[in-house]
Amino acid sequence: IMQTLQNIGRGSKEVGYLSGYTALLEVPVMFLFVRISKKWDCGQLIKITGVFFVAKALLVAVATNIFMLFAGHSFQLLSFALFTPAIVYYVSMIIPPEDQVKGQALITIACTSGSTIGSLIGGYIIEWMGIRSLNWITAGFCALGMLFILKGAQNTTATPTTASLEI
């Protein structure tokens, strides 16, 4: 975020504002997710998040001012904030109860590995090609991920087992 903000003439103060803004967007969605999941199919919610991850990445890639950056990060509401609880419910619905711990572990491993590898490669891309290139490459990978999600995410009709959702 810092490099993107510096690219449009902003600094660390705006990193705080943008981080706080996205956090404020995430909290209500996560708290209201049980209600949301009763009205929407989790497979469909996962597909929706894929679309909004792409929208966010594209708007960040084209952002030339702070307002466009905030607009892009507004999609956090329907991307990351919705994805995080939806993927937990989704796994608990499509995987048999005896394998749900493995399923949740695999999702955690995939997200953590992707984040770690993406950050490492992203740092090199920033050094070699600059932040604008990284933002466009990110949008491209988000689009590719969205295609996989749209093709692979199944609709769910069952409800998650309560044992799989207990903390």
Side-chain angles (χ1 to χ4, degrees), residues 11 28 53-54 75 86 96 135 139 143 146 150 162 166:
F53 272 113
V54 173
F75 289 119
N135 287 340
M146 179 192 67
L150 293 176
T162 55
E166 291 177 1

Side-chain angles (χ1 to χ4, degrees), residues 15-158:
V15 169
Y17 292 155
L18 198 54
S19 296
Y21 175 67
T22 56
L24 286 173
L25 291 175
E26 291 172 10
V27 172
V29 174
M30 291 181 182
F31 275 121
L32 295 173
F33 188 77
V34 172
R35 283 187 179 171
I36 293 168
S37 70
K38 289 178 182 176
K39 294 181 182 186
W40 291 80
D41 175 83
C42 276
Q44 291 297 324
L45 290 173
I46 297 291
K47 292 175 183 179
I48 290 167
T49 66
V51 171
F52 282 97
F53 272 113
V54 173
K56 176 185 173 187
L58 287 172
L59 202 46
V60 168
V62 300
T64 56
N65 60 54
I66 193 75
F67 301 109
M68 289 177 73
L69 212 47
F70 268 85
H73 281 271
S74 294
F75 289 119
Q76 187 89 350
L77 181 71
L78 295 171
S79 59
F80 184 77
L82 189 58
F83 175 81
T84 302
I87 197 68
V88 172
Y89 273 64
Y90 181 75
V91 168
S92 70
M93 289 181 197
I94 66 165
I95 295 181
E98 64 273 10
D99 292 328
Q100 287 181 3
V101 171
K102 291 178 202 168
Q104 296 295 347
L106 288 172
I107 290 296
T108 302
I109 290 167
C111 291
T112 302
S113 299
S115 180
T116 302
I117 293 167
S119 293
L120 179 65
I121 293 171
Y124 285 114
I125 292 171
I126 290 171
E127 290 293 319
W128 292 335
M129 300 166 68
I131 190 64
R132 305 261 326 148
S133 295
L134 175 65
N135 287 340
W136 282 108
I137 291 168
T138 299
F141 275 103
C142 281
L144 181 62
M146 179 192 67
L147 293 175
F148 283 120
I149 288 172
L150 293 176
K151 180 73 175 155
Q154 305 167 15
N155 289 344
T156 57
T157 54

Side-chain angles (χ1 to χ4, degrees), residues 1-22:
I1 294 176
M2 184 63 180
Q3 290 86 352
T4 301
L5 284 162
Q6 287 174 335
N7 192 53
I8 61 169
R10 299 300 178 132
S12 58
K13 177 174 70 173
E14 287 81 10
V15 169
Y17 292 155
L18 198 54
S19 296
Y21 175 67
T22 56

